[in-house]
């Protein structure tokens, strides 16, 4: 068991925000990070395509890397395909869901923003979370494919445009009641990678929250008392398409302890 890794999966590099939280709690863990670069982005795809693609890919990845646990570090994939993956694989699966509950607990104005992909914010799962944990709040939603692209580009060495970030945030804050938002849920794992830029251009002070810390705690709980390798190994980085962009990202991630990129 000690040589079996934790596998984290996302459509791109957004799940690195989750990987960082897992690494903080489990410094000895062996980690494999997989970006579905051939399928990126998920947020503009249909539910049927994602529900078919994600379990099939994770089945191949489970065969290759024999993980002790899989984290779907992607809100879109989790809200659409989590049940399908759990039915298909005999491996513990941890999903990623919008942090609406903690956002409601910290909101003073009782107006919460949910910022995700188009595919995530329209899911009935988000309706259910809002009804269960934020029934006394106004929950405003906005889907943005542009922010996903900007976050992905940032890890490829392209500085995000503050004007474009501000334009995307306006889709949330310009809604009726948006001037009273005091907490924004980053319902896409890419968005914490742009948090500094979003704080800088937000029309008024807000707090941003995401689910990375909660996911890490869940992973730590499910792997408690398990053995890990004695010697730390470099984190493994896997792409489903290994092109020039992915190689640029991999070169920048080498400083974070990743080895040479692999192709699925």
């Amino acid at each position: 068991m000690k040589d079996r890794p934790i596998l984290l999966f996302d459509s791109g590099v957004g799940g690195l925000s989750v990987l960082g939280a897992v690494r903080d709690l489990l410094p000895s863990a062996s980690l494999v990070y997989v970006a579905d670069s051939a399928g990126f982005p998920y947020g503009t795809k249909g539910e049927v395509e994602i529900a078919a693609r994600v379990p099939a890919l994770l089945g191949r990845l489970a065969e290759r890397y024999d993980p002790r646990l899989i984290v779907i570090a992607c809100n879109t994939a989790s809200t659409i395909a989590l049940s399908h993956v759990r039915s298909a694989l005999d491996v513990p699966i941890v999903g990623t869901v919008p942090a609406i509950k903690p956002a409601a607990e910290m909101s003073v104005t009782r107006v919460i923003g949910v910022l995700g992909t188009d595919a995530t914010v329209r899911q009935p799962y988000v309706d259910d979370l809002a009804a269960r944990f934020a029934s006394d709040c106004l929950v405003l939603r906005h889907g943005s494919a542009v922010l996903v692209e900007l976050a992905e580009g940032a890890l490829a060495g392209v500085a995000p445009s503050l004007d474009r970030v501000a334009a995307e945030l306006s889709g949330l804050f310009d809604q009726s009641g948006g001037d009273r938002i005091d907490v924004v849920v980053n319902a896409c794992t890419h968005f914490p990678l742009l948090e500094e830029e979003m704080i800088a251009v937000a029309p008024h002070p807000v707090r941003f929250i995401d689910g990375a810390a909660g996911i890490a705690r869940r992973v730590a709980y499910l792997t408690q008392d398990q053995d890990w390798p004695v010697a730390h190994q470099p984190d493994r980085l896997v792409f489903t398409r290994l092109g020039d962009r992915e190689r640029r990202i991999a070169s920048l991630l080498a400083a974070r302890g990743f080895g040479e990129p692999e192709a699925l």
Side-chain angles (χ1 to χ4, degrees), residues 1-4 28-30 68 227-233:
M1 171 67 79
K2 70 178 182 179
D3 294 324
R4 297 176 66 189
S28 299
S30 176
R68 68 180 74 196
D227 293 330
W228 300 101
V230 175
H232 174 69
Q233 301 295 320

Side-chain angles (χ1 to χ4, degrees), residues 100-117:
I100 291 175
K101 180 180 180 180
E105 291 171 350
M106 68 172 59
S107 176
V108 175
T109 66
R110 313 314 292 159
V111 182
I112 297 168
V114 177
L115 191 63
T117 66

Side-chain angles (χ1 to χ4, degrees), residues 21-246:
V22 172
R23 173 60 71 210
D24 288 343
L25 284 187
L26 298 171
S28 299
S30 176
L31 303 180
V32 175
Y33 184 85
V34 182
D36 183 13
S37 46
F40 176 85
Y42 281 2
T44 57
K45 288 181 167 54
E47 282 85 347
V48 172
E49 181 178 357
I50 293 172
R53 182 177 183 84
V54 172
L57 275 175
L58 286 175
R60 293 172 59 194
L61 290 163
E63 289 183 3
R64 176 178 289 192
Y65 295 104
D66 190 25
R68 68 180 74 196
L69 180 146
I70 293 174
V71 179
I72 303 180
C74 173
N75 285 270
T76 300
S78 293
T79 55
I80 294 172
L82 183 59
S83 61
H84 300 280
V85 174
R86 284 177 169 160
S87 297
L89 300 181
D90 188 22
V91 180
I93 309 292
V94 175
T96 304
V97 298
I100 291 175
K101 180 180 180 180
E105 291 171 350
M106 68 172 59
S107 176
V108 175
T109 66
R110 313 314 292 159
V111 182
I112 297 168
V114 177
L115 191 63
T117 66
D118 290 325
T120 294
V121 299
R122 67 175 180 250
Q123 291 303 312
Y125 193 95
V126 178
D127 297 334
D128 180 63
L129 289 174
R132 290 167 58 196
F133 301 117
S135 59
D136 65 333
C137 296
L138 174 61
V139 180
L140 302 177
R141 312 181 197 183
H142 179 61
S144 173
V146 171
L147 289 177
V148 176
E149 290 284 357
L150 291 176
E152 195 84 3
L155 277 186
V158 180
S161 162
L162 291 182
D163 288 342
R164 295 186 72 192
V165 174
E168 290 304 304
L169 289 188
S170 69
L172 180 65
F173 288 99
D174 287 354
Q175 296 180 41
S176 178
D179 59 329
R180 295 188 292 119
I181 293 174
D182 63 346
V183 183
V184 175
V185 178
N186 278 327
C188 173
T189 54
H190 278 81
F191 295 172
L193 304 176
L194 296 174
E195 193 163 308
E196 290 184 7
E197 289 80 5
M198 291 193 291
I199 290 172
V201 302
H204 60 264
V206 294
R207 299 167 69 181
F208 289 86
I209 185 172
D210 62 79
I215 296 167
R217 289 192 296 270
R218 181 63 177 164
V219 171
Y221 172 78
L222 291 174
T223 59
Q224 62 184 336
D225 301 324
Q226 294 183 8
D227 293 330
W228 300 101
V230 175
H232 174 69
Q233 301 295 320
D235 296 337
R236 301 175 73 173
L237 181 62
V238 183
F239 295 98
T240 55
R241 179 182 60 208
L242 189 53
D244 291 341
R245 175 171 172 162
E246 291 75 29

